[in-house]
Amino acid sequence: MEPVTIALALAKAAGVDDWLKEKISGTVTGKVASKVIDLAKSVTRKDTPEEALQTVSTNIVYANELKKQMLQNEHELKMAAYEDRKDARQTYRIHPQQADKIAERVMRYNLPFIVGLVIINCVVLHFFRDDAALLAAVSNVLGMAIKSLFDERKEVTGFYFGGSMDASERER
């Protein structure tokens, strides 16, 4: 299994997968996964990530201890996520073409998609106003899609205009 997959499974077994994603602002990456796996191996005293995952998944005491350790090491997990983003900025300086192409597409197409989804939501509200369960389900899905599209735009804007730079780079 890949480290990121194991780290997510460990966080889920400990009941902190959503917390972890929130604290690191998104996707679990290599350095964050390594920190989570190291904590799990330390807690379970197992040599491999797979053994640690098996132990945490089957033993609530170890799951709770891993949760406690992850909460106590929140700062280290955030720093690992920052280090991964820092590496992304370094890579961008060398190979910007693909990132620029993706960013251009996000900025060009996300807003029309958002407008389209809002229109679809309005149509659904009109035609399905008598079916509360279906209306709620469709509106929630559309709302999540709209939020995700807005978040993508925010991330691109932040990357290009300093949101993901550290202070020393912004002052230049």
Side-chain angles (χ1 to χ4, degrees), residues 71-133:
L71 294 173
Q72 287 177 349
N73 289 287
E74 175 183 339
H75 180 72
E76 286 183 37
L77 294 169
K78 284 182 178 180
M79 289 305 295
Y82 169 77
E83 288 295 321
D84 277 337
R85 285 191 298 275
K86 185 172 134 186
D87 291 347
R89 286 191 299 274
Q90 298 293 340
T91 301
Y92 176 76
R93 288 185 182 117
I94 299 167
H95 304 289
Q97 301 83 5
Q98 188 65 30
D100 286 345
K101 189 182 294 185
I102 292 168
E104 189 269 328
R105 287 182 181 158
V106 165
M107 296 308 284
R108 176 179 290 166
Y109 296 117
N110 278 23
L111 199 53
F113 286 150
I114 290 167
V115 170
L117 289 173
V118 168
I119 291 169
I120 291 170
N121 198 31
C122 291
V123 170
V124 167
L125 285 170
H126 177 73
F127 286 108
F128 295 105
R129 63 180 167 252
D130 296 329
D131 190 351

Side-chain angles (χ1 to χ4, degrees), residues 6-137:
I6 292 173
L8 286 170
L10 284 164
K12 186 170 184 141
V16 291
D17 51 329
D18 290 334
W19 172 88
L20 178 65
K21 290 176 188 173
E22 178 186 319
K23 290 301 171 190
I24 62 168
S25 303
T27 307
V28 174
T29 56
K31 290 181 182 173
V32 174
S34 294
K35 292 281 185 193
V36 170
I37 289 170
D38 289 345
L39 287 171
K41 287 173 25 181
S42 171
V43 164
T44 61
R45 295 180 200 92
K46 299 294 182 182
D47 294 328
T48 68
E50 291 81 7
E51 290 174 329
L53 175 59
Q54 179 65 30
T55 303
V56 169
S57 297
T58 58
N59 189 318
I60 191 73
V61 173
Y62 286 115
N64 286 334
E65 182 60 27
L66 177 59
K67 178 179 180 177
K68 180 180 163 188
Q69 289 298 315
M70 288 177 69
L71 294 173
Q72 287 177 349
N73 289 287
E74 175 183 339
H75 180 72
E76 286 183 37
L77 294 169
K78 284 182 178 180
M79 289 305 295
Y82 169 77
E83 288 295 321
D84 277 337
R85 285 191 298 275
K86 185 172 134 186
D87 291 347
R89 286 191 299 274
Q90 298 293 340
T91 301
Y92 176 76
R93 288 185 182 117
I94 299 167
H95 304 289
Q97 301 83 5
Q98 188 65 30
D100 286 345
K101 189 182 294 185
I102 292 168
E104 189 269 328
R105 287 182 181 158
V106 165
M107 296 308 284
R108 176 179 290 166
Y109 296 117
N110 278 23
L111 199 53
F113 286 150
I114 290 167
V115 170
L117 289 173
V118 168
I119 291 169
I120 291 170
N121 198 31
C122 291
V123 170
V124 167
L125 285 170
H126 177 73
F127 286 108
F128 295 105
R129 63 180 167 252
D130 296 329
D131 190 351
L134 180 63
L135 181 63

